[in-house]
């Protein structure tokens, strides 16, 4: 009906505005924080994302319980307005550095940029296996009669461990070794640790402590790898297109997430959870080849020196 169409149009418009805002923040990060600072920038983004998930998820539910839908939506609008007021005096720090833009950029220049294929390959490959594992995890735990409380707290624990790994391990590795070397060093343990859940399921060690410890370690290294990978792609992005380059590659991660979810569930339904978890692990190890090649090929094209 009319109200549904109007609500859908509003949601689409709101998401478009938020996506545009995301492109601006990407441009600011690429323009001002390339080099060894890229790890710190991406570490901050990971922690900020976690805080936003907690505030927008559980926090919004608390507001809803007290004030209803209208109160929650007003609180969200007030939070966005406050954010605009905070950022307005910092405008010169959140806009791309115009002094670095030598000439107007064209769309075709992006696709012709040296190393584009390797950058796109890494953005498509790095999260594929991890996304498949995340999609598979919740239905498996439900089928194993793990309590809803444990599943919920496990998700929070995984987010916290991933944020800690990104802010500490990933940012530190990029600062000390550079983004490309950090990707090489962190991609290997991140891929190998994808097998933890297969091992827990195969050997029937699905107790709550084992789940928290095993998945916590996996998410800690995965968070570090995540920060290193995006620091590398940030350092590859050009000064002429700081928002477009980085945002386009982020879309590659989203595409990989959709493909991973579409592939893993039919596999689990036909072959069972054990084979699906094994396939995720072997797939993650196999994807190390294009990831390591991408890091090596992009190394001379990334500004890792500063």
């Amino acid at each position: 009906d009319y109200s549904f169409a109007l609500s859908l149009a509003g949601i689409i418009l709101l998401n478009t505005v938020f996506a545009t805002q995301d492109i601006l923040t990407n441009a600011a990060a690429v323009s001002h924080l390339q080099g060894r600072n890229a790890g710190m920038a991406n570490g901050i983004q990971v922690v900020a994302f976690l805080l936003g998930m907690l505030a927008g998820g559980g926090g919004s539910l608390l507001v809803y319980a007290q004030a209803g839908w209208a109160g929650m939506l007003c609180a969200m609008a007030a939070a966005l307005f406050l954010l605009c007021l905070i950022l307005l005096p910092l405008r010169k720090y959140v806009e791309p550095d115009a002094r670095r833009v030598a000439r107007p950029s064209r769309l075709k220049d992006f696709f012709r940029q040296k190393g584009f294929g390797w950058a796109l390959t890494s953005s498509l490959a790095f999260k594929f296996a991890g996304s498949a594992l995340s999609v598979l995890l919740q239905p498996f735990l439900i089928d194993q009669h793990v309590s809803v409380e444990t599943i919920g707290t496990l998700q929070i624990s995984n987010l916290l461990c991933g944020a800690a790994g990104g802010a500490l391990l990933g940012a530190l590795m990029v600062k000390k070794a550079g983004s490309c070397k950090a990707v090489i060093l962190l991609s290997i343990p991140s891929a190998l640790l994808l097998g933890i859940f297969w091992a827990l399921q195969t050997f029937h060690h699905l107790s709550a402590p084992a789940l928290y410890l095993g998945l916590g370690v996996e998410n800690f290294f995965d968070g570090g790898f995540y920060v290193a990978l995006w620091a590398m792609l940030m350092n590859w992005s050009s000064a002429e297109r700081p928002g477009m380059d980085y945002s386009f590659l982020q879309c590659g991660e989203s595409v990989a997430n959709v493909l991973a979810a579409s592939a893993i569930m039919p596999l689990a339904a036909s072959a069972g959870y054990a084979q699906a978890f094994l396939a995720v692990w072997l797939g993650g190890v196999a994807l190390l080849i294009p990831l390591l090649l991408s890091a090596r090929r992009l190394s001379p094209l990334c500004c890792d020196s500063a």
Side-chain angles (χ1 to χ4, degrees), residues 8 11 39 48 71 75 124 131 133 162 174 184 200 204 215 218 265 290:
L8 182 61
I11 291 172
L124 289 170
S131 297
L133 179 63
V174 172
I184 293 172
L200 292 175
H204 306 290
L215 291 175
E218 189 272 329
M265 295 309 292

Side-chain angles (χ1 to χ4, degrees), residues 284-304:
V285 172
L287 287 173
L288 276 175
I289 297 174
L291 283 170
L292 294 176
L293 284 174
S294 297
R296 288 179 61 88
R297 295 301 180 95
L298 292 176
S299 180
L301 306 175
C302 292
C303 52
D304 265 345

Side-chain angles (χ1 to χ4, degrees), residues 85-238:
L85 291 180
I86 294 173
L87 291 178
L88 193 59
L90 304 175
R91 182 175 176 179
K92 65 178 180 180
Y93 299 108
V94 296
E95 290 186 352
D97 188 353
R99 295 171 299 178
R100 298 182 61 192
V101 181
R103 58 183 175 81
S105 178
R106 299 168 298 179
L107 178 63
K108 64 181 181 180
D109 294 334
F110 169 57
F111 298 104
R112 293 177 178 176
Q113 185 174 336
K114 192 172 182 180
F116 167 76
W118 293 111
L120 182 61
T121 297
S122 61
S123 72
L124 289 170
F126 88 101
K127 200 64 178 174
F128 186 89
S131 297
L133 179 63
S134 298
V135 169
L136 202 57
L137 186 60
Q138 185 166 323
F140 172 78
L141 293 176
I142 292 174
D143 287 347
Q144 295 297 311
H145 307 293
V146 177
S147 68
V148 175
E149 291 80 6
T150 299
I151 294 174
T153 54
L154 187 62
Q155 289 177 339
I156 295 174
S157 173
N158 291 341
L159 282 173
L160 290 173
C161 289
L168 301 176
L169 182 61
L172 180 63
M173 290 289 288
V174 172
K175 187 70 174 179
K176 296 296 184 182
S179 59
C180 295
K181 288 183 179 179
V183 168
I184 293 172
L185 293 172
L186 293 175
S187 62
I188 297 174
S190 181
L192 294 178
L193 286 169
L194 288 171
I196 281 182
F197 204 80
W198 172 81
L200 292 175
Q201 189 264 343
T202 300
F203 298 105
H204 306 290
H205 293 304
L206 292 174
S207 64
L211 289 172
Y212 286 120
L213 178 61
L215 291 175
V217 171
E218 189 272 329
N219 277 274
F220 181 80
F221 278 91
D222 185 64
F225 173 51
Y226 186 93
V227 165
L229 190 285
W230 283 115
M232 179 181 75
L233 295 180
M234 177 184 287
N235 285 336
W236 173 81
S237 299
S238 68

